[in-house]
Amino acid sequence: MNVIEVNNLSKKYKDILAVDDITFSVEKGSIFGMIGPNGAGKTTTIECTIGIKKRDQGMISVLGFDPLEKSIDLYKKIGVQLQETSYQDKIKVHEICSLFMSMYSEPLDYVPLLERFNLSNKNKSFLSNLSGGQRQKIAIILALIANPEIIFLDELTSGLDPKARREMWTYIKELKNEGRTIFMTTHYMEEAEFLCDTICIIDEGKLIATGDLQSVINKADIDTIITFNTKEDIVTAIKNNITGISKLEITENKISIYSKNADLISELILFLEKNGISYNNVNIIRPTLEDAYLKMTGKSWKE
Amino acid sequence: MNSFIKVIFIEWKLNNRNFLNVFFALFFPVMMLMLFGTMYGNEPIAQFGGFGSIDVSIPGYICIIIAVTGLMTLPLTLSQYRERKILKRFMVTPIKPIDLLSSQLIVNTVTTIIGMIILLIVAKIIFEITFIGNFLKTTIAFIIVLLSMFSIGLFIAGISKTMKAATVISYIIYFPMLFLSGATIPLEFMPRSIINLSKIFPLTYGVELLKGVWLGGNLLDYMNDILILSSIIIIFISLSIKFFKWE
Ligand SMILES: Nc1ncnc2c1ncn2[C@@H]1O[C@H](COP(=O)(O)OP(=O)(O)OP(=O)(O)O)[C@@H](O)[C@H]1O
Ligand SMILES: [Mg+2]
């Protein structure tokens, strides 16, 4: 079942077409991750989806509501962390939390939430005195107070150190295990790889690829590279016996084979063994999400 | 707790944690009272129709409090809330940014009233001021002045893109009014040119109205001021509704 359906969404700011005819859907209980360069239109897409920006074209349904019409009913059921927000001057953690609790009829209590995110000792601190990572935790706590069915996280982990980021990953996984749906954006490829069930790449307002990790990588159509060392001269033999090689490189006694066919490795090993060729140091470099991302969004990065 | 009450309660606490807000609304007017009171005393003076200097100055000081909360605190806070995307964050909750705006109106009204009460208590104890006006009429005049200043403040908050811009606009409007509307220095003491100039400041009409009613006048005697202030309220509220940018 899809909890978010976005069809042919377009959004213009004066002369910039920030989002250009984007269509996607998010399945209930999944983690949907949007990646794309700065200015690609991620924030605009999120903000149109939750109804704080008016779309110019397209249909949006979130939990069955059109965010521009039944917004209050919708806002009772979603939690949001916006890319940029700060809080009132001199407000304390427990004050902002209890303020958010008062907005919902069946909120989650913030005290256990603070505990869960290891912030209990900051209950009485001014928000302005928290570290960046702690403030991001507050942002996610405020989103959770709604006891939301869907959580929108716009670059939650930007600016966090690697340890804090991985800590956030655990929390996000936990939220998924609680049955919540997550719509997130990130600039960290390993984060998208680790967390997202569905990845969506957008660039200059256009949707470039969407699907699970493997299908997005496949779409980029990048060679897998197999390297191994051998003292024997087998280049011609390999060329004649193994198909699907796009490029072959030899440096001293190291051979690198480029191919779109990721299963080439088994063919290769079989060939080497059958012909009694001695080899070692086999290495296989599969394309990562980062490679796919750079290829599909980069203007200068071309094979 | 009802969320709107909670918002008011928290905004009230935050307002009181801001030194400048508290200083200008609660202490600055009292300091002015002490300064001018010590200089002139409160003996009855024929030029003031038998009232003392302080008796006639109090309504002006009250107008200053209204101008501070309405033209400074209100627009600066709201424009900051917009610039820092706080209003935007409230858009995606079941309560609306307008609740935050309304709570600011309430908080600043309460601050104004408290500032006025402190001022009156000090003035009563130290300078033994007398109040011969009618309480209801004075309250009506007070509300009209308050609404006129707050509607201008809302407009400033609504149109200024940044808090910096709001600060500049507020200062440009507030400081000349402080000295040239008769609020601090009675216009009776001013040269003709300043009196003419004072007519462009909305607060001038506010001071005239509140002072008149405070000293026992009738609302009807100040119909001119009431009409001007009411037009200001209607114009600026409409402009605010039309132009207020939430983000
Ligand atoms: N309020 C606005 N007015 C005018 N242009 C805007 C506005 N907001 C965004 N844009 C433009 O729209 C485009 C998309 O911006 P958006 O914020 O959606 O990108 P993003 O993918 O979230 O980028 P980032 O990764 O840097 O957060 C950009 O070119 C940006 O300059
Ligand atoms: Mg963004």
Side-chain angles (χ1 to χ4, degrees):
Chain A
M1 192 182 87
N2 291 331
V3 284
I4 301 177
E5 303 253 17
V6 172
N7 289 310
N8 308 102
L9 170 67
S10 292
K11 169 76 186 171
K12 223 189 213 144
Y13 299 111
K14 291 185 198 109
D15 47 352
I16 308 169
L17 190 53
V19 174
D20 185 2
D21 197 27
I22 279 188
T23 298
F24 62 88
S25 56
V26 179
E27 194 168 328
K28 185 174 164 49
S30 71
I31 303 183
F32 178 89
M34 191 167 259
I35 54 181
N38 292 124
K42 302 179 296 297
T43 300
T44 307
T45 306
I46 285 207
E47 293 187 349
C48 289
T49 308
I50 56 182
I52 44 179
K53 288 250 164 73
K54 286 208 176 68
R55 58 187 185 260
D56 295 324
Q57 261 169 50
M59 291 264 298
I60 297 179
S61 152
V62 182
L63 294 169
F65 300 110
D66 181 330
L68 290 181
E69 279 161 23
K70 288 276 191 181
S71 59
I72 297 278
D73 292 328
L74 175 62
Y75 296 152
K76 289 175 184 160
K77 298 180 171 189
I78 64 173
V80 177
Q81 172 256 324
L82 296 171
Q83 184 175 359
E84 292 178 68
T85 15
S86 47
Y87 305 94
Q88 291 100 313
D89 261 345
K90 308 237 170 86
I91 195 163
K92 293 180 181 175
V93 170
H94 70 95
E95 290 168 342
I96 188 94
C97 289
S98 59
L99 176 60
F100 270 72
M101 268 184 75
S102 73
M103 298 175 188
Y104 300 93
S105 52
E106 286 168 30
L108 292 183
D109 190 356
Y110 73 89
V111 178
L113 284 173
L114 287 178
E115 224 160 90
R116 177 168 167 189
F117 286 85
N118 267 321
L119 282 180
S120 295
N121 57 339
K122 299 289 178 191
N123 192 20
K124 293 206 163 61
S125 305
F126 288 112
L127 264 152
S128 49
N129 292 346
L130 298 187
S131 76
Q134 291 166 336
R135 254 199 301 264
Q136 289 305 74
K137 286 184 181 177
I138 295 293
I140 201 170
I141 288 173
L142 294 182
L144 278 174
I145 284 176
N147 194 7
E149 291 178 36
I150 310 178
I151 306 168
F152 292 85
L153 303 173
D154 195 356
E155 291 192 30
L156 178 69
T157 60
S158 288
L160 300 193
D161 72 62
K163 184 162 162 282
R165 187 173 314 138
R166 274 173 182 71
E167 203 184 330
M168 278 294 185
W169 294 359
T170 331
Y171 293 129
I172 294 173
K173 282 265 187 197
E174 272 174 35
L175 297 178
K176 176 190 155 147
N177 292 339
E178 289 168 7
R180 307 183 203 276
T181 309
I182 290 146
F183 181 160
M184 57 181 282
T185 74
T186 181
H187 284 299
Y188 300 104
M189 297 302 128
E190 75 278 18
E191 179 167 305
E193 281 181 6
F194 181 78
L195 287 176
C196 300
D197 301 301
T198 308
I199 291 171
C200 169
I201 301 182
I202 68 170
D203 188 19
E204 296 182 334
K206 291 195 184 61
L207 195 144
I208 307 279
T210 177
D212 62 12
L213 176 63
Q214 205 49 55
S215 69
V216 168
I217 294 176
N218 290 346
K219 178 136 194 255
D221 202 26
I222 300 172
D223 288 337
T224 297
I225 309 168
I226 300 165
T227 63
F228 61 95
N229 292 351
T230 179
K231 295 215 164 54
E232 297 172 44
D233 180 14
I234 50 165
V235 173
T236 342
I238 290 178
K239 274 188 180 160
N240 292 340
N241 286 281
I242 296 175
T243 52
I245 295 178
S246 34
K247 199 166 81 176
L248 217 152
E249 276 172 5
I250 321 140
T251 45
E252 290 176 38
N253 48 20
K254 180 176 172 192
I255 297 185
S256 305
I257 300 173
Y258 291 70
S259 170
K260 302 273 188 272
N261 177 7
D263 294 328
L264 196 94
I265 180 81
S266 41
E267 263 179 73
L268 177 73
I269 300 292
L270 213 67
F271 168 78
L272 295 175
E273 293 289 344
K274 217 164 65 189
N275 295 288
I277 299 163
S278 72
Y279 64 94
N280 60 13
N281 243 339
V282 182
N283 219 332
I284 173 157
I285 306 166
R286 293 180 191 280
T288 59
L289 180 61
E290 183 151 343
D291 299 326
Y293 172 88
L294 287 174
K295 181 172 178 197
M296 290 192 279
T297 61
K299 273 144 228 101
S300 56
W301 201 95
K302 289 272 179 301
E303 269 188 295
Chain B
M1 203 191 312
N2 174 299
S3 63
F4 184 51
I5 294 174
K6 182 89 192 176
V7 175
I8 296 172
F9 179 67
I10 286 181
E11 289 300 311
W12 168 247
K13 281 213 269 187
L14 298 181
N15 183 66
N16 298 341
R17 281 181 198 155
N18 184 323
F19 172 75
L20 286 181
N21 292 358
V22 175
F23 175 78
F24 278 109
L26 307 189
F27 299 118
F28 182 63
V30 172
M31 285 167 54
M32 232 159 33
L33 169 75
M34 299 302 292
L35 179 71
F36 288 109
T38 331
M39 277 162 61
Y40 303 123
N42 197 23
E43 301 307 316
I45 294 175
Q47 197 185 353
F48 291 143
F51 295 106
S53 291
I54 299 300
D55 290 330
V56 296
S57 300
I58 289 289
Y61 298 161
I62 292 174
C63 286
I64 288 172
I65 305 177
I66 298 175
V68 165
T69 51
L71 295 177
M72 303 277 277
T73 313
L74 181 70
L76 297 197
T77 311
L78 287 177
S79 59
Q80 185 192 41
Y81 284 5
R82 180 182 44 233
E83 186 172 0
R84 297 171 66 175
K85 320 261 179 191
I86 296 169
L87 294 177
K88 189 170 170 185
R89 181 64 186 85
F90 272 72
M91 281 184 196
V92 281
T93 65
I95 77 163
K96 293 291 108 205
I98 193 141
D99 292 333
L100 205 57
L101 189 152
S102 319
S103 73
Q104 273 297 320
L105 293 176
I106 293 169
V107 164
N108 280 298
T109 304
V110 173
T111 307
T112 311
I113 294 171
I114 293 179
M116 182 172 81
I117 291 173
I118 294 178
L119 179 78
L120 291 178
I121 291 175
V122 175
K124 180 83 203 163
I125 293 174
I126 300 186
F127 301 105
E128 295 174 354
I129 50 158
T130 45
F131 170 64
I132 57 155
N134 171 298
F135 184 76
L136 182 66
K137 289 174 190 164
T138 311
T139 306
I140 293 174
F142 172 80
I143 292 174
I144 295 174
V145 180
L146 185 95
L147 286 177
S148 66
M149 291 302 120
F150 278 33
S151 59
I152 298 174
L154 268 186
F155 177 69
I156 298 173
I159 56 153
S160 35
K161 285 211 169 67
T162 60
M163 189 183 169
K164 266 222 176 76
T167 312
V168 171
I169 301 175
S170 295
Y171 275 63
I172 289 177
I173 298 182
Y174 172 75
F175 279 106
M177 285 219 283
L178 185 62
F179 300 111
L180 303 179
S181 66
T184 26
I185 308 156
L187 284 175
E188 288 90 331
F189 297 159
M190 294 286 192
R192 190 78 237 154
S193 55
I194 299 281
I195 294 180
N196 287 338
L197 179 67
S198 74
K199 301 234 184 314
I200 64 166
F201 298 118
L203 195 60
T204 306
Y205 306 96
V207 174
E208 193 167 82
L209 168 65
L210 195 62
K211 196 167 169 179
V213 178
W214 186 267
L215 298 174
N218 264 315
L219 285 170
L220 283 178
D221 302 338
Y222 298 93
M223 232 29 220
N224 186 35
D225 299 317
I226 294 178
L227 280 178
I228 290 174
L229 292 170
S230 308
S231 320
I232 288 174
I233 297 170
I234 293 169
I235 291 170
F236 281 96
I237 297 261
S238 324
L239 288 176
S240 303
I241 292 173
K242 192 153 167 27
F243 292 110
F244 201 94
K245 290 193 284 286
W246 294 101
E247 59 155 321

